[in-house]
Amino acid sequence: MTTLDRFQAILSRYHDALVTALESDGLVPEFLATATRSDRPPRLLCQTRGIIYLVHFQLACAHPPAAKRAAELYEAMRPRYLRHLGGRYTPPAQHDGGARYELAFLLNAQVQLAELEPVEGLDDDLNATLDDILSAPFDTWLQPRAGGDFLELNALMHLFEALTITQRYRPQPRIAAHIERIARVASERFLDTEHGLLAERIAEDGRLLEYDLGHNYEWASLLLLNADLGLDFAALDPKTLCSAAERVTLESFAPRMISNQLDAERRPMAFDARIWVNLERLRCLALSGSPQAEPLLEEILDAYFPADLPEEYLGQRGPIKSTTGYHVIECYRAVAGTR
């Protein structure tokens, strides 16, 4: 079995765990492959990332039932999480940073599902989500998810991701303008030009407070994936972001697996080595054509998938987050060369 075959087998194992949870709960729970369920209802994010996983699994592994399950999941989650207004389902009436973050994944899931599997009313829902996004005050995307007197880049990055996917399949001038505005704000307000990194958090006066290594790799991947859209991404250069992140990784974490948060001086704030950060690093290196991608893939599969299911933290057995599958399959697509 090749390393790529092994990675595809992991996708199948995760798919089976996701389907088992859906058959048991009707929705995607916070954690998979466990008899224990959280007392709190699962987030909308669990559902949207579950849909994205199923869509990509169908495309990557030629498994048509996955697309049907994605459509069934969307129909199940729609009345539970969205508002029914004017004959279509619209996003929840919340506009803080956390809600914006989830809204980006809602659009992402709706667009990708609509391209693969017909669902009655989905186009109307998608347009409602897009209208909500494009009409909302732009600064709401910079509000921190956890509160605080700073501005945060994470939700804006996933909005960039969702809108570039939308522009690819349903191009509109207003979407293109919004994407270019995101790139301009990120480059003008968050980019540390001296060190080549995007800050994750900044003060209201513009001081750079924290960096997120995983998100720098993720930004680089998104820029590489969408270079063919012909849009102006301002001063955001994926090669610079990737090489700057690699420099920190090799100086501060090697030979350990990397963590994500860095302080204002670009020093690690922890060494917990979460899986998603390492998957995003691998995705970026694979998309960049780096020769380091292949040995890193083997290392990650050995370190984080001891039983063909993802471990959230290096060397720590624990519950499998349902949201992690999004990072797993996006990484696979880059490694396999399917996007």
Side-chain angles (χ1 to χ4, degrees):
M1 177 184 289
T2 67
T3 307
L4 192 59
D5 289 338
R6 182 182 170 195
F7 201 176
Q8 191 171 86
I10 283 170
L11 294 189
S12 296
R13 180 83 170 86
Y14 188 93
H15 166 268
D16 292 347
L18 182 61
V19 168
T20 298
L22 283 171
E23 290 175 345
S24 173
D25 296 4
L27 293 168
V28 180
E30 288 286 339
F31 303 107
L32 302 179
T34 176
T36 305
R37 290 288 182 261
S38 171
D39 292 335
R40 294 186 301 176
R43 291 169 292 164
L44 173 61
L45 186 68
C46 300
Q47 318 315 314
T48 54
R49 286 195 177 185
I51 289 168
I52 292 167
Y53 188 91
L54 290 166
V55 166
H56 290 321
F57 184 80
Q58 193 278 326
L59 295 172
C61 301
H63 187 72
K68 186 174 186 297
R69 288 191 182 277
E72 291 170 349
L73 173 56
Y74 183 76
E75 291 177 322
M77 68 153 234
R78 183 159 49 183
R80 173 106 177 237
Y81 295 91
L82 308 182
R83 297 179 299 163
H84 191 243
L85 295 172
R88 60 183 184 174
Y89 284 91
T90 65
Q94 301 176 51
H95 297 289
D96 60 19
R100 298 280 101 187
Y101 176 87
E102 295 221 8
L103 187 58
F105 278 99
L106 175 62
L107 178 63
N108 187 332
Q110 287 173 328
V111 170
Q112 299 205 59
L113 178 59
E115 288 301 305
L116 187 66
E117 187 77 5
V119 178
E120 185 177 355
L122 176 54
D123 278 357
D124 290 336
D125 300 353
L126 189 164
N127 289 329
T129 303
L130 184 61
D131 289 343
D132 184 293
I133 286 172
L134 298 182
S135 63
F138 193 81
D139 284 348
T140 58
W141 288 92
L142 298 175
Q143 294 175 9
R145 292 165 59 200
D149 56 350
F150 52 85
L151 303 178
E152 192 170 64
L153 194 55
N154 193 14
L156 202 66
M157 178 186 73
H158 286 297
L159 176 61
F160 180 89
E161 175 186 29
L163 288 179
T164 52
I165 291 168
T166 308
Q167 182 68 3
R168 183 170 299 282
Y169 294 124
R170 300 173 179 230
Q172 298 178 35
R174 62 177 186 152
I175 300 174
H178 221 76
I179 293 169
E180 292 180 335
R181 184 180 181 189
I182 292 169
R184 188 167 61 251
V185 167
S187 63
E188 291 177 355
R189 302 184 67 177
F190 288 84
L191 184 61
D192 177 350
T193 54
E194 179 182 356
H195 299 99
L197 290 168
L198 280 166
E200 184 68 16
R201 292 176 175 177
I202 64 173
E204 292 281 357
D205 62 9
R207 286 178 298 111
L208 307 182
L209 301 175
E210 290 181 20
Y211 301 81
D212 189 299
L213 206 51
H215 288 156
N216 272 271
Y217 283 118
E218 201 165 356
W219 267 109
S221 293
L222 294 174
L223 291 165
L224 288 167
L225 285 167
N226 294 291
D228 62 337
L229 289 180
L231 301 177
D232 181 4
F233 293 154
L236 299 180
D237 177 54
K239 292 182 179 178
T240 299
L241 292 175
C242 186
S243 61
E246 275 294 278
R247 188 162 53 249
V248 175
T249 293
L250 297 175
E251 289 175 356
S252 299
F253 295 98
R256 294 176 292 238
M257 290 289 182
I258 61 170
S259 188
N260 58 325
Q261 289 179 294
L262 309 172
D263 65 17
E265 302 301 320
R266 299 165 310 287
R267 296 171 302 203
M269 297 172 67
F271 288 90
D272 51 10
R274 290 183 64 182
I275 185 175
W276 75 265
V277 187
N278 292 278
L279 290 170
E280 290 300 335
R281 180 192 180 201
L282 175 56
R283 176 165 75 144
C284 180
L285 293 177
L287 291 171
S288 301
S290 170
Q292 298 302 315
E294 187 173 347
L296 181 59
L297 170 60
E298 294 184 11
E299 187 178 354
I300 286 175
L301 295 187
D302 287 342
Y304 284 103
F305 297 87
D308 285 351
L309 284 172
E311 296 290 349
E312 189 67 23
Y313 294 93
L314 185 63
Q316 296 182 31
R317 292 299 180 94
I320 299 161
K321 292 179 64 174
S322 61
T323 52
T324 297
Y326 154 80
H327 293 284
V328 174
I329 204 157
E330 292 289 7
C331 180
Y332 174 84
R333 294 174 73 207
V335 169
T338 59
R339 272 300 285 173

